[in-house]
Amino acid sequence: MGWFEQRIVETGRLPLFCFFIAMVLAFGLIRVSVRLIRAQVTWWPGNVTPGGLHIHHVVFGVVFMLVGGVASLAIPPDLVGARSVAAVVFGVGAALVLDEFALILHLKDVYWTETGRTSIDAVFVAIALSGLLVIGVRPIGVEDFATFESDPLVPHPFWWGLTFTVINLGLAVVTLLKGKIWSGLLGLFLWPLIYVGAIRLARPGSPWARWRYRPEKRRGQRKLARATWREIRIRHPIIRGKIWFQELIAGRHT
């Protein structure tokens, strides 16, 4: 309890903590609900279909996010308890929206298809990034400025912080273009990931590979062959493990 008071309450991260817990719990509950609906369990309420219209839970999520977001803006900063309640409402809405992220992206119901796994990836990314913020890990821009501002030996700390922030953001963009989504996003908080991701080979099929690993050039052929080998021998087993874990939590996609 002492750790919670010191690291969460006293640092002003209680609303963020409430948002994180609410998002995780709401995602777990909605996945239990949809799996029960899919199994056609008789005692479970089932889908919301007034007049034959199937209302997806992303609709309720948007409402929750709107209510929670506006409330958090309207509540004075000193009312931490009320802001925490608003954060809970927003977290529930975020979970409902992200759970149908693939539906929004493709504008069709792909919930239980292979494409629907995009929603699980979106939820996992949101949970990971929110979790890092909860434990106090700061984004690279904030970290860079704070590091130089706290060092009295560094002249013009603002410009040094701005320079390093631009460099790090550029490396994060390169990492994302190389198809390394997790490394690029988590690297915004854990900078070694974007340095490694920007240096290593891109994934085959990524924008970077299409632009740089051209088959008509011998060097491009070699890089594409190495990238493909790594994808098959190293990344595919990891992806199978990720899919197994996703389906353990969210249900099997067809």
Side-chain angles (χ1 to χ4, degrees), residues 232-249:
I232 295 173
R233 295 296 300 273
I234 299 175
R235 191 170 181 84
H236 279 189
I238 297 175
I239 292 176
R240 286 196 294 269
K242 185 195 74 170
I243 291 174
W244 174 85
F245 181 69
Q246 286 181 340
E247 291 185 343
L248 178 67
I249 297 175

Side-chain angles (χ1 to χ4, degrees), residues 4-5 27 31 46 57 60 63 105-106 125 133 141 156 158 164 178 181 183 216 233 241 244 249 252:
F4 184 82
E5 287 285 339
F27 171 67
R31 276 289 161 171
H57 51 266
F60 300 99
V63 174
L105 181 63
H106 297 278
V125 168
L133 289 173
H156 309 293
F158 172 82
F164 274 80
K178 287 189 172 184
I181 306 301
S183 296
E216 62 268 17
R233 295 296 300 273
W244 174 85
I249 297 175
R252 183 177 297 276

Side-chain angles (χ1 to χ4, degrees), residues 160-232:
W160 278 106
L162 179 62
T163 300
F164 274 80
T165 299
V166 171
I167 292 173
N168 287 330
L169 290 177
L171 292 174
V173 171
V174 171
T175 303
L176 291 171
L177 290 175
K178 287 189 172 184
K180 303 170 184 180
I181 306 301
W182 276 96
S183 296
L185 293 177
L186 293 181
L188 295 175
F189 296 83
L190 307 172
W191 60 264
L193 292 177
I194 57 176
Y195 281 76
V196 174
I199 293 172
R200 291 179 63 83
L201 285 171
R203 296 185 61 191
S206 65
W208 188 273
R210 292 197 301 270
W211 297 335
R212 305 286 296 179
Y213 305 164
R214 295 184 177 276
E216 62 268 17
K217 296 182 179 180
R218 182 172 299 178
R219 187 178 180 183
Q221 290 178 354
R222 291 198 301 266
K223 286 190 173 182
L224 184 60
R226 288 168 54 201
T228 303
W229 181 87
R230 289 185 180 182
E231 187 78 10
I232 295 173

Side-chain angles (χ1 to χ4, degrees), residues 60-84:
F60 300 99
V62 170
V63 174
F64 274 101
M65 289 184 70
L66 182 62
V67 172
V70 172
S72 64
L73 294 173
I75 296 173
D78 56 314
L79 299 180
V80 179
R83 291 179 62 233
S84 299

